[in-house]
Amino acid sequence: MEDAGVGANRIAGMGWLMRGVPAVAVMALAVAGTAGGGASAGAAVAAPPVPGTISTVAGGVGGPARATNVPITNACGVYVANGLLYIADNTTVRQVDSTDRLTTPAGTGAGAPLGDGGPATSASVGTCSTAVDGSGNPVIADAYRIRVVAAHSGTFYGQVMTAKDIYTVAGNGTPGFSGDGGPATAAQLNNTAGVAVDGSGNLVIADLGNNAIRVVAKTTGTFYGQAMTAGDIYTVAGSGTPGFFGDGGPGTAAQLNEPMRITADASGNVVFADLGNNRVRVVAGSTGTFYGQAMTAGDIYTVAGNGSTTFSGDKGPATSAGIDTAGVAVDGSGNLVLADGLNQRVRVVAESTATFYGQAMTAGDIYTVAGNGTAGFKDTRPALKGELNNPTAVAVDGSGNLVIADTGNHRIRVVASTSGTFYNQPMAAGSIYTVAGHGNTGSVGDGASATAAELASPDGLLLDASGNTLIADTANSRIRVLAGTTGTFYGQSMTAGDIYTIAGTGAVGHFGDGGPASIATLDKPQGIAIDPSGNVLIADTHSNRVRVVAESTGTFYGQPMNAGFIYTVAGGGTGGTGNGIPATTATLGFANGVTVDPQGNLVIATSKQRVRVVAATTGTFYGQPMTAGDIYTVAGSGGTGFSGDGGKATKAHVVNPESVSVDSAGNLVIADTGNSRIRVVAGTTGTFYGQPMTAGDIYTVAGGGTSGLGDGGPATSAELTGPWDATVDSSGNLVIADTGDALVLVVADSTGTFYGQAMTAGDIYTVAGDGTGTGFSGDGGPATSAIIGAPEAAIADAAGDVLISDTGNDRIREVAG
């Protein structure tokens, strides 16, 4: 969710033959099994999936897991109810129970589809605020809507709901302002930054984009000085004009400026952070004295903040203090608790004169209870010496502990009110602790189930001879392995179905050559391969290198190597793009993809508009004499645009080729991404893909047409859009990740039935994706109806299943063959 204006700025804290598998490995794959691994001996064997259905095999939103082991991407909202901690994590709602177990009851971590009326775990959400109503239903402020996840089946907000499904209860999804006095579901909202449930069960909404506070009545009655009808929506504060005006008068005549988090206190008053005005304000629910002021029902009042964001005023009147708050809560004693974001503090406005949070406080004055004012991360005793980083929301749990959305640190933290065990941790009164998140925003789950792990823009895929799936976890700068079977691989003991890192620490850079791959840094690697010696080759894309993790100790690529260590074998030099120079002195540009041909040569797709080869031995390859260890261009002249079909590949134009693979005949298959084509450089003279080809020449085999996607028609007449990957399955069919169209396509090598479809030789067919490209959906159903987000790799295993890097959704998905 994006907040408008100043709010956006101030809470800003608030994406083969199997690629690289040599011929010997492909033969082994015929008996190795699939990426998911087999069941252990004696275990019940699940029924095989229906051919053509799609599922996730790695990645997602993370969890179930211990809360401190799961990354919190944008911890921008917190709420505690019924012993559960709820975290609004931008594109998900997280839930942490008393045993510190984190689950995700709503949101996929991706965009559309909306998902109303279906499982909340399959719906898209965009939220920084959540609450729980009196029936235990989570209520979500979701951009232009308020939505509810049914805790159990029943009728809520005038709708019949099914347990765990999600429904819209306010807002029609169109940004704007309309609908007051009518049904809430027909009204327009505009960036719902906060939601609360008051003591009467009404929904109270911070309608940030409309600079208004609005209420959806639970029952018919008088609330906030207005007569309301059940299910209808009403404005109780804000005239719609941004500014600061109206204290002491009717809330509906007042000016607000980006109201953010909102709560309802025990007296029925609405309390909200008026972010753009740097104040906390109250709409009185009844006439009386609250927060040291005489108030009239329906009128508005400032109770904290002087309009300045500069920190000031501790131990003095709250209305004279400088604050920067997006989040507010009320504790059990009636004190206001504020997340003072850019001041890196949590502060309290005392409701009465007494001792709170270990400090003597005077009614109406403001005090810091957590954070020393320095942006950073430090769990300490006392919390006043700790460090926060842009805390944006606060809550108070049933034990009186303060719960903080420490947004910039990607954590949820707790200041203990008393000494005891909370969130499965022993805590000392007044100290601060992390209870969810680990400070990183991705790459979690090593050593546990791959479907509970998080990936970040995964790209290259590879199946090794043992049935393990290697993943280029690009944005996390790691190479990871989804174990297909239980055993020891890449120097680690692995359990089938679990995920492990074999290279990279997650830090970005080029470091560690000559040392263990586990402590080396990579820079957004996109491609992986395995050579005949079992070494893992990495297209370390943004470091402009190809690197090797040695499987065993020996001499490879002219270098002595130690098992498990990492080395550069191509790129990183200043020798330019010339032929016949040592590979480690060459300039590659981005190393987009790497494979190994049957002769053991490295083949590299580069951003220098070329495909290049590092010769493993001295000989003639791709029509050129080559010297072992030197590098040569085999396709592309460095020019842009499209040219060269039917002629020498080295004179053709290929544009930003993202991947290269080698088919069983030794031809190079190139994803000519910039030209939206799949092209082939013939390894020998013969007929391939229905075309006569001459060794060393280049040909288009898919794409370049003008007839649309072209399902069921000739592949060369189809239109592709930025295909990122092309590999060849065991039947000789081309499998294409058509990234820009958000589809996985197959070009049939022969006439027959493949992937559940009757296909004609040379024609092209969709096997996964509906072409929408925005969002995540479809697991458990037909792959051609699923939404895939910018797939950047697709490979087929020996069982006929297709594995897809669903890059836009941070998942690896599988289509059953």
Side-chain angles (χ1 to χ4, degrees), residues 362-600:
T362 300
D365 287 357
I366 192 168
Y367 302 83
T368 296
V369 295
N372 63 12
T374 299
F377 172 74
K378 187 185 294 182
D379 278 342
T380 64
R381 179 177 185 176
L384 282 167
K385 293 184 178 180
E387 291 179 354
L388 305 171
N389 189 355
N390 194 19
T392 58
V394 287
V396 182
D397 69 18
S399 300
N401 304 308
L402 301 186
V403 184
I404 306 164
D406 192 4
T407 307
N409 282 321
H410 308 292
R411 293 172 166 93
I412 304 300
R413 301 172 76 186
V414 165
V415 178
S417 176
T418 58
S419 295
T421 299
F422 310 104
Y423 306 97
N424 214 29
Q425 297 184 49
M427 297 187 181
S431 296
I432 191 169
Y433 302 85
T434 295
V435 297
H438 54 54
N440 296 318
T441 58
S443 191
V444 65
D446 277 352
S449 171
T451 53
E454 287 202 8
L455 307 174
S457 298
D459 193 333
L461 290 174
L462 171 72
L463 285 166
D464 71 12
S466 299
N468 305 307
T469 304
L470 279 72
I471 304 165
D473 194 1
T474 303
N476 282 322
S477 292
R478 288 172 164 88
I479 303 300
R480 303 177 80 182
V481 172
L482 165 55
T485 56
T486 297
T488 299
F489 310 103
Y490 309 102
Q492 296 185 48
S493 176
M494 298 186 182
T495 300
D498 288 357
I499 197 167
Y500 304 84
T501 294
I502 60 169
T505 63
V508 175
H510 172 254
F511 168 80
D513 273 359
S518 59
I519 61 172
T521 59
L522 307 174
D523 195 349
K524 298 180 178 61
Q526 289 185 190
I528 40 181
I530 296 177
D531 70 14
S533 299
N535 304 310
V536 177
L537 291 133
I538 303 168
D540 195 5
T541 306
H542 283 245
S543 77
N544 306 307
R545 293 167 169 85
V546 174
R547 301 170 79 183
V548 169
V549 180
E551 170 67 7
S552 58
T553 298
T555 299
F556 309 102
Y557 307 101
Q559 300 181 47
M561 298 186 181
N562 291 320
F565 284 21
I566 193 167
Y567 304 85
T568 293
V569 293
T574 59
T577 59
N579 283 343
I581 61 174
T584 52
T585 69
T587 304
L588 294 180
F590 288 162
N592 293 329
V594 64
T595 191
V596 182
D597 71 15
Q599 290 73 40

Side-chain angles (χ1 to χ4, degrees), residues 718-789:
E719 286 185 290
L720 306 179
T721 305
W724 211 268
D725 189 36
T727 60
V728 182
D729 69 15
S730 58
S731 298
N733 305 309
L734 282 180
V735 182
I736 302 168
D738 189 11
T739 309
D741 289 317
L743 300 169
V744 175
L745 306 169
V746 166
V747 180
D749 183 56
S750 57
T751 298
T753 299
F754 308 102
Y755 309 105
Q757 297 184 48
M759 298 186 181
T760 300
D763 287 356
I764 194 166
Y765 302 84
T766 297
V767 295
D770 69 355
T772 302
T774 302
F776 169 80
S777 74
D779 272 4
T784 51
S785 298
I787 298 178
I788 300 172

